[in-house]
Amino acid sequence: GKVKEKLANMVMFDKATYDKMLKEIPKAKLITPSVVSERLKVNGSVARVAIRHLEEKGLIMHVGEKHHAQMIYTRNVGGADD
């Protein structure tokens, strides 16, 4: 079959990637683990932790019903927070 290109994604944040995450991810309209993983070249579990971290800081907010498997977030728009 076809040879799939191996993704050499990082398994931990270094300082540069962490800063990039804080700066870029909250600006995106759609934030999912796959988007974070793709943008920052980190693996999926790191992306999930990053999303939880940003939510705790109040930089991003959840969309729709909360579900453990499909984490869909968006940037925080407006002051009103439920």
Side-chain angles (χ1 to χ4, degrees):
K2 292 185 188 143
V3 177
K4 188 173 177 278
E5 202 174 303
K6 187 87 176 88
L7 290 174
N9 286 351
M10 291 189 290
V11 293
M12 280 172 75
F13 277 124
D14 54 18
K15 184 83 177 94
T17 314
Y18 181 76
D19 292 339
K20 188 176 175 188
M21 182 263 292
L22 287 180
K23 202 169 73 203
E24 283 185 17
I25 302 301
K27 290 183 187 146
K29 271 187 181 170
L30 175 71
I31 302 163
T32 62
S34 53
V35 170
V36 176
S37 171
E38 186 69 28
R39 287 244 182 113
L40 301 177
K41 296 283 177 259
V42 294
N43 75 21
S45 55
V46 177
R48 284 197 304 273
V49 172
I51 287 176
R52 272 187 226 115
H53 178 67
L54 289 172
E55 189 186 21
E56 280 167 22
K57 283 185 162 217
L59 295 170
I60 62 177
M61 59 189 217
H62 203 82
V63 176
E65 200 176 314
K66 227 180 177 100
H67 194 273
H68 70 97
Q70 190 58 49
M71 300 165 74
I72 304 173
Y73 290 83
T74 190
R75 59 187 177 205
N76 229 341
V77 187
D81 207 349
D82 49 345

